[in-house]
Amino acid sequence: MQDHSLLITLIVFLSAAVISVPLFKKIGLGSVVGYLIGGAVIGPWGIGLVTDVENILHLSEFGVVLLLFLIGLELKPQRLWVLRRPVFGLGGLQVVLSALIFFGILSLIGLERSQTIVISISISLSSTAFALQVLGEKNELNTAHGRSAFAVLLFQDLAVIPIMAILPFLGASLETEGAQGFSQKMFPAIGSIVGVVLAGRFLARPLFRLVASTGNHEIFTALSLLIVVGVSLLMDQVGLSMALGSFLGGVILADSEYRHELESNLEPFKGLLLGLFFLAVGMSINLGEVLKDPILVILFALGLMIVKSLVLYALGRISKHSEESSLNLAVTISQGGEFAFVILGVGVSLSILPRERADLVIAVVTLSMGLTPILSIVKDKFVESFFKRRTEQTADSIEEQNRVIIAGFGRFGQIIARMLFVHKIGFTALEGNPEQVNLARRFGYKIYYGDASKLSLLRSAGAEHADLFVLAIQDIDVSVKVAELIKKHFPNLTVIARARNREHVFKLMEAGVKIIRRDTFASALELAGETLSHLGFMDSEVEQKVRKFRAHDELTLKGQYQIRNDEKEFINFSKNAMRQLEAAFEADRQEKEGKAAG
């Protein structure tokens, strides 16, 4: 019967996820909000299909644990050392400033000092799982605001250690704990961290090597889970964050030869347990507390997010992020986090907080998670357009006119610029991404910030008198818009364009551009030649085959352009072109064999 109950609970979870997540992703609120709403519906304060929330939440925390372990695998110790300033600088200031502001606000409300401290600290922390999931879905983990958000979240995970050690001093045990109690908590914690580092260096790798030599994939997966769960539980036993322990284990194994195998083994477990975690968070919302005064709860959640957003935006600007990047940082981690549940739970167990007040704060924190995607949508639709209008008005004034104009100063445009520079050929570089402009200027390039699709900027750059216009913009729509603008207003200006793919080529050809080179075609063709060389072909043969392939592909491209709007004809033409190329190379091979035989 108990087995049936477990299966029914599993069906309930899967049904809630399958129904709510696609629905909320469809309306643009993201998968995390879907999990939260689904959890609230099936939880004890919803229709009551699942009631054992505390145990489920504790189990699902391993989703966060696996997430942090996989992130740790991406960060070698050397890279982590490079991040020390944003982690302890940006992260430390965010926690301290947010907690102080919340402390001041709650003190004015009239809460007891110990309660004020616990609540202020708990809501100053953001959600690692939520923020990293959202950043991952948007492919923003490697952006400036994504890296800063990760640094802040990492500091918060580290900050949980002293926070959990200090909490007992606020409770009834203040008189009995003293310095001795503090040392009893901290020394085992430090010893455990040292032990994990040493075990990772000297025990884990030989163990992985031994298991890998058996060729048993399932046992390797079991060992992976054993390492993560074991380290996490060890940290939990000494009063530290399980997530911090798993992150530390990941960092230690980041330069291991088994890193990629570990990632592929643990990724499915991470996804499932993270989904379960967000469902459990949704189930933990005390709707009774919310329904007592829903307006107050919403106002508290908005107030929490506004305070943290203002602090994060200010810190972003101080850290020399652009306005847009600072805004993205502020929105991404403005919510409360899962550590609030832990800290508030300890506060209740130590008789610092009454259960009702803790439930109210948990409801506020959870609601702030749900509001984050909505805030992100508002930011995307309204606030970012405001910044774009401002940047249009504040484009750099161009002080020079050169023979060559380069639009787009990313990795592609920079190579062309370097070639011109070493031959002392003057060029005017235009770039519409302020972060890219700042980065290029740090390396000594003279570059102008502005949108190359604006006629006024092209005139200012001297397009009427230039000889060449190098169109190196990556965005296809912007690239085509610039090409059309040049052909309309500067028909005598020669355009040399880069294209990302065949579709981009066709659009540029429609705009009248004659000289087009695809991003990866030349490098891929060069690598194909290297492959043939290593397979035993002579250099002269390789050169001839590569040249022939290039000419045939360029001819095929022109033919495809003529029939690009007829999909059936396009496919047939492409297949026929491949057969012709095969036949040409086969004829070359037979001719070579005939000469050798003769």
Side-chain angles (χ1 to χ4, degrees):
M1 193 69 183
Q2 188 174 1
D3 292 340
H4 287 173
S5 176
L6 180 62
L7 289 174
I8 291 171
T9 303
L10 182 61
I11 289 172
V12 170
F13 281 137
L14 293 174
S15 301
V18 168
I19 294 171
S20 61
V21 172
L23 175 63
F24 280 87
K25 286 198 76 170
K26 188 77 173 177
I27 61 179
L29 293 179
S31 60
V32 177
V33 176
Y35 282 122
L36 294 175
I37 300 297
V41 171
I42 65 175
W45 302 100
I47 58 179
L49 293 178
V50 181
T51 55
D52 191 10
V53 178
E54 189 171 339
N55 285 332
I56 292 169
L57 187 60
H58 192 65
L59 171 65
S60 64
E61 283 175 5
F62 279 104
V64 184
V65 164
L66 289 171
L67 174 66
L68 266 294
F69 181 80
L70 291 174
I71 290 171
L73 282 176
E74 296 295 330
L75 283 175
K76 294 184 179 181
Q78 298 91 331
R79 188 180 170 197
L80 190 60
W81 177 250
V82 171
L83 287 173
R84 67 191 185 280
R85 288 186 179 177
V87 169
F88 292 99
L90 189 62
L93 282 172
Q94 184 275 320
V95 172
V96 171
L97 290 176
S98 298
L100 286 174
I101 293 172
F102 288 132
F103 180 84
I105 294 171
L106 294 173
S107 296
L108 291 175
I109 295 175
L111 290 184
E112 294 178 14
R113 176 159 298 193
S114 57
Q115 292 185 20
T116 302
I117 293 173
V118 173
I119 295 174
S120 299
I121 292 174
S122 65
I123 62 179
S124 69
L125 306 179
S126 305
S127 174
T128 300
F130 187 95
L132 294 180
Q133 180 82 355
V134 170
L135 287 169
E137 287 180 355
K138 293 184 175 182
N139 293 317
E140 294 179 350
L141 279 168
N142 288 320
T143 60
H145 70 272
R147 291 190 296 270
S148 294
F150 173 74
V152 172
L153 295 168
L154 179 55
F155 177 83
Q156 291 178 4
D157 288 340
L158 294 168
V160 170
I161 303 171
I163 289 170
M164 298 299 287
I166 289 169
L167 281 181
F169 292 98
L170 301 174
S173 59
L174 176 62
E175 298 177 2
T176 57
E177 289 263 345
Q180 183 180 359
F182 183 80
S183 63
Q184 287 176 350
K185 292 178 181 296
M186 290 303 291
F187 287 135
I190 295 170
S192 298
I193 291 174
V194 173
V196 167
V197 172
L198 293 175
R201 284 290 180 189
F202 301 108
L203 294 179
R205 293 182 189 184
L207 193 57
F208 275 119
R209 196 173 296 115
L210 176 64
V211 172
S213 66
T214 66
N216 192 316
H217 182 76
E218 291 77 11
I219 297 300
F220 193 95
T221 303
L223 177 61
S224 306
L225 287 170
L226 176 63
I227 295 288
V228 178
V229 175
V231 171
S232 302
L233 286 178
L234 172 64
M235 292 299 178
D236 187 54
Q237 290 298 310
V238 297
L240 302 183
S241 158
M242 288 196 295
L244 175 64
S246 64
F247 174 77
L248 184 62
V251 170
I252 293 167
L253 295 171
D255 53 1
S256 163
E257 63 270 32
Y258 302 108
R259 178 169 67 89
H260 297 295
E261 185 75 10
L262 283 166
E263 286 177 337
S264 61
N265 286 338
L266 297 178
E267 187 69 34
F269 296 99
K270 181 210 77 172
L272 286 171
L273 286 171
L274 266 183
L276 181 61
F277 172 78
F278 290 124
L279 282 171
V281 170
M283 288 188 290
S284 68
I285 301 175
N286 187 335
L287 295 180
E289 286 295 326
V290 175
L291 294 175
K292 283 180 184 177
D293 197 340
I295 302 299
L296 184 66
V297 174
I298 293 172
L299 288 175
F300 279 161
L302 289 174
L304 182 156
M305 298 178 75
I306 289 170
V307 168
K308 293 181 74 172
S309 294
L310 291 173
V311 169
L312 286 162
Y313 181 80
L315 291 176
R317 297 298 289 149
I318 292 170
S319 303
K320 298 183 179 179
H321 286 46
S322 67
E323 289 183 328
E324 186 178 353
S325 181
S326 299
L327 181 65
N328 287 329
L329 174 65
V331 171
T332 301
I333 53 175
S334 61
Q335 74 289 130
E338 55 273 4
F339 285 123
F341 306 146
V342 179
I343 294 170
L344 293 168
V346 173
V348 171
S349 66
L350 293 172
S351 301
I352 301 172
L353 280 172
R355 168 54 65 182
E356 296 76 17
R357 185 156 291 165
D359 286 343
L360 176 62
V361 179
I362 288 173
V364 169
V365 168
T366 307
L367 182 59
S368 72
M369 292 183 185
L371 289 174
T372 301
I374 298 174
L375 185 63
S376 181
I377 292 173
V378 172
K379 182 261 300 178
D380 291 340
K381 288 192 174 180
F382 301 106
V383 183
E384 278 194 356
S385 62
F386 168 74
F387 280 121
K388 285 178 181 176
R389 286 197 299 272
R390 286 187 60 188
T391 54
E392 287 172 8
Q393 298 168 2
T394 57
D396 291 338
S397 58
I398 301 177
E399 307 161 351
E400 59 183 339
Q401 294 188 353
N402 291 294
R403 293 177 58 195
V404 181
I405 300 172
I406 301 175
F409 209 71
R411 57 188 174 84
F412 199 96
Q414 286 178 28
I415 293 174
I416 299 169
R418 284 161 55 194
M419 179 63 80
L420 295 175
F421 181 81
V422 296
H423 287 89
K424 301 191 184 317
I425 299 173
F427 61 88
T428 302
L430 310 176
E431 173 59 53
N433 184 335
E435 292 182 14
Q436 186 66 29
V437 170
N438 292 333
L439 180 63
R441 284 174 178 169
R442 283 167 55 192
F443 284 90
Y445 288 107
K446 189 171 185 179
I447 179 172
Y448 296 98
Y449 169 60
D451 184 356
S453 65
K454 300 297 179 185
L455 180 59
S456 58
L457 186 71
L458 294 178
R459 291 192 188 279
S460 177
E464 291 175 307
H465 308 291
D467 295 332
L468 285 173
F469 189 96
V470 179
L471 184 53
I473 296 173
Q474 183 177 20
D475 187 283
I476 294 177
D477 293 334
V478 177
S479 171
V480 173
K481 185 178 178 182
V482 173
E484 291 171 344
L485 198 65
I486 291 172
K487 286 302 172 182
K488 180 179 179 181
H489 295 279
F490 313 103
N492 296 322
L493 179 58
T494 301
V495 177
I496 298 175
R498 62 84 71 98
R500 290 177 58 188
N501 48 41
R502 269 174 149 76
E503 179 192 359
H504 194 180
V505 172
F506 295 153
K507 288 182 177 181
L508 289 170
M509 290 173 74
E510 286 175 356
V513 180
K514 304 295 184 185
I515 308 172
I516 307 169
R517 294 293 179 265
R518 284 164 280 166
D519 274 6
T520 56
F521 182 68
S523 56
L525 201 54
E526 184 180 347
L527 194 59
E530 292 283 348
T531 304
L532 293 177
S533 295
H534 281 81
L535 291 174
F537 287 82
M538 296 176 62
D539 289 346
S540 57
E541 284 185 282
V542 170
E543 186 179 347
Q544 182 263 337
K545 291 179 185 299
V546 167
R547 187 167 54 249
K548 191 168 203 173
F549 188 97
R550 179 192 291 275
H552 183 273
D553 191 79
E554 293 291 348
L555 193 63
T556 300
L557 189 66
K558 291 176 182 177
Q560 288 173 330
Y561 172 70
Q562 301 299 327
I563 55 171
R564 62 193 180 282
N565 296 320
D566 187 335
E567 183 180 0
K568 185 177 180 181
E569 187 67 24
F570 187 94
I571 292 172
N572 289 334
F573 180 88
S574 301
K575 287 181 177 179
N576 188 50
M578 180 57 72
R579 284 193 290 268
Q580 289 176 356
L581 183 63
E582 287 183 87
F585 279 123
E586 178 62 21
D588 288 347
R589 187 182 65 81
Q590 290 178 359
E591 181 182 352
K592 179 183 174 184
E593 289 177 352
K595 288 181 179 179

